[in-house]
Amino acid sequence: MDDGRERAERIAAAVTGAVAAGQVPGAAWWVGVHGEVVSRGAAGGHVPGTDDAVRPDTVFRIASTTKPVVAAAAMALVDEGALALDEPVDALLPELADPRVLADPADPEAGTVPAERPITVRDVLTFRLGTGLDFTAPWPSPTLAALAAAGLPVGPPAPQAAPGPDEWMRRLGTVPLAAQPGSRWLYHVGASVLGVLVSRAAGRPLPAVLAERVLRPAGMGSTGFGVPASARDRLGPHWTPPGPDGAREVYDPADGQWASAPAFPDAGDGLVSTVDDLAAFARVLRSGGCAADGTRVLGEAAVRAMTTEQVGPVDDEGGGWGLGLGVRRTDEPGGRHAGSYGWDGGLGSTWWTDPVTGTTAVLLTNQMWASPEPPPLFAAFRRAAFGQEEATAGGTSS
């Protein structure tokens, strides 16, 4: 196995090479082994062609990498008994009590049937509550079309577009489930529901619960659903991928949708964060629930449950799902081992921890993905961070 210096050089080369090649305007990264930093840095800028540099403390919109962070808040409530994994959600989420289920998820005209059992807290965390994105069906599925018609479109994050939590849940409750509770993994919507569930279980708004249960004790001072004025200089614009002419457009300006608190703090994709904050979160899970200063954030049993694969294959590439985060089911050739856990965000973020090697890798960029598949930079970064001697530097091919 190569030494840490060689790995650090590969990691930096993967990111800086991609930025120099124009793949993304800017990026920051953090890679550590058993908590010891191997490589930490940043490359590029907030605006292409300017000297407004991205730094390691830059605040990024992390999209779906939000999901594991809020799942940890839910598990903190499980630890104290405010939630139980196998209890129905009916009392806290009456909008989802006695749901109807499409008789044929591909044909909304076929009618509905009663749910065979209630939705449980575990169903919400494992994305088997019966509604969400079906990556095996034509886009948009009848369920997604119905959600959009109800004013709940599923697409790139738009924090200021959704109604408040109670109205959001009311609208969701008007749409039949696509599958029986507990039967199928369907992406994303379960995370948004989880945020409302956590808030109601704790009797406080989700941002307050998340700060109290996870962010403050874990030492994640730059993470939240909006960016305060004191940190606004660390948030730049966010970009779309280059079009056929090579030009990018601003998806969200620096003073845009994350510059103020949203009506609906979306547990699916609403957070901003930094590489250091996500490394601190990873440290909590890697250590069995404790922050760097010894503060206990989660119990060991909660961490084991979160990071244990529970639903079977969710893709054709070895992916599985635990409680609110991805868990690999198989070894990745030259990369992450089975049991590695973390998740990615379509606005350009990734965090994974490999418990076999003790490696944690975080990469945040200021450009959204062009598809659900990671761009070449992300494959190159993972090879450099998790691979062995055969990993290559550069970052300009996948």
Side-chain angles (χ1 to χ4, degrees):
M1 179 181 292
D2 56 285
D3 62 24
R5 178 178 298 179
E6 291 174 346
R7 181 189 289 197
E9 290 173 350
R10 287 202 308 268
I11 293 164
V15 184
T16 60
V19 171
Q23 292 185 24
V24 296
W29 71 90
W30 188 104
V31 178
V33 177
H34 299 301
E36 296 296 322
V37 179
V38 171
S39 182
R40 174 182 180 269
H46 291 292
V47 179
T50 73
D51 58 2
D52 187 8
V54 167
R55 308 188 307 256
D57 68 344
T58 289
V59 175
F60 292 87
R61 302 152 183 87
I62 65 170
S64 287
T65 312
T66 298
K67 291 173 169 66
V69 182
V70 179
M75 296 307 293
L77 295 179
V78 170
D79 276 341
E80 75 167 31
L83 287 173
L85 289 175
D86 296 310
E87 70 179 1
V89 300
D90 296 18
L92 292 171
L93 302 176
E95 300 91 342
L96 298 182
D98 302 316
R100 304 289 298 183
V101 183
L102 291 175
D104 180 351
D107 180 11
E109 302 302 320
T112 63
V113 298
E116 295 170 357
R117 65 164 176 78
I119 297 168
T120 66
V121 174
R122 187 185 300 273
D123 293 333
V124 177
L125 279 159
T126 58
F127 290 6
R128 294 185 295 183
L129 71 167
T131 191
L133 282 69
D134 183 353
F135 294 119
T136 68
W139 184 276
S141 68
T143 296
L144 296 189
L147 288 172
L152 304 177
V154 177
Q160 301 300 331
D166 292 345
E167 175 62 14
W168 193 94
M169 284 300 309
R170 185 196 69 77
R171 296 184 192 183
L172 181 69
T174 68
V175 178
L177 302 181
Q180 289 288 341
S183 66
R184 287 199 63 197
W185 185 86
L186 296 169
Y187 187 57
H188 181 68
V189 177
S192 302
V193 171
L194 182 67
V196 183
L197 180 65
V198 166
S199 173
R200 291 182 180 178
R204 302 178 64 195
L206 177 61
V209 181
L210 188 64
E212 178 184 278
R213 302 291 179 155
V214 179
L215 304 183
R216 284 199 294 268
M220 300 171 67
S222 295
T223 302
F225 288 101
V227 182
S230 61
R232 202 71 49 76
D233 64 325
R234 294 192 282 136
L235 177 74
H238 203 84
W239 300 88
T240 66
D245 61 355
R248 295 179 172 88
E249 296 181 359
V250 174
Y251 171 70
D252 186 65
D255 60 353
Q257 294 205 59
W258 279 267
S260 58
F264 182 68
D266 197 328
D269 57 20
L271 289 176
V272 297
S273 192
T274 64
V275 292
D276 289 336
D277 275 17
L278 289 175
F281 178 72
R283 198 269 182 208
V284 169
L285 299 188
R286 187 184 61 79
S287 70
C290 290
D293 65 359
T295 300
R296 179 154 293 281
V297 182
L298 293 171
E300 292 185 4
V303 173
R304 283 196 301 272
M306 283 184 71
T307 58
T308 297
E309 200 283 319
Q310 305 209 18
V311 306
V314 302
D315 57 33
D316 296 327
E317 299 175 352
W321 196 254
L323 295 180
L325 78 174
V327 181
R328 286 199 59 83
R329 303 179 71 251
T330 62
D331 289 345
E332 181 180 48
R336 296 165 292 176
H337 290 87
S340 295
Y341 54 84
W343 202 234
D344 310 320
L347 292 187
S349 62
T350 185
W351 150 63
W352 285 86
T353 293
D354 185 336
V356 175
T357 63
T359 301
T360 290
V362 180
L363 173 66
L364 304 178
T365 75
N366 55 6
Q367 178 177 289
M368 65 196 310
W369 292 4
S371 76
E373 293 299 315
L377 165 58
F378 286 77
F381 174 74
R382 287 176 183 162
R383 284 197 302 270
F386 293 106
Q388 306 300 325
E389 291 181 352
E390 69 271 21
T392 59
T396 57
S397 64
S398 64

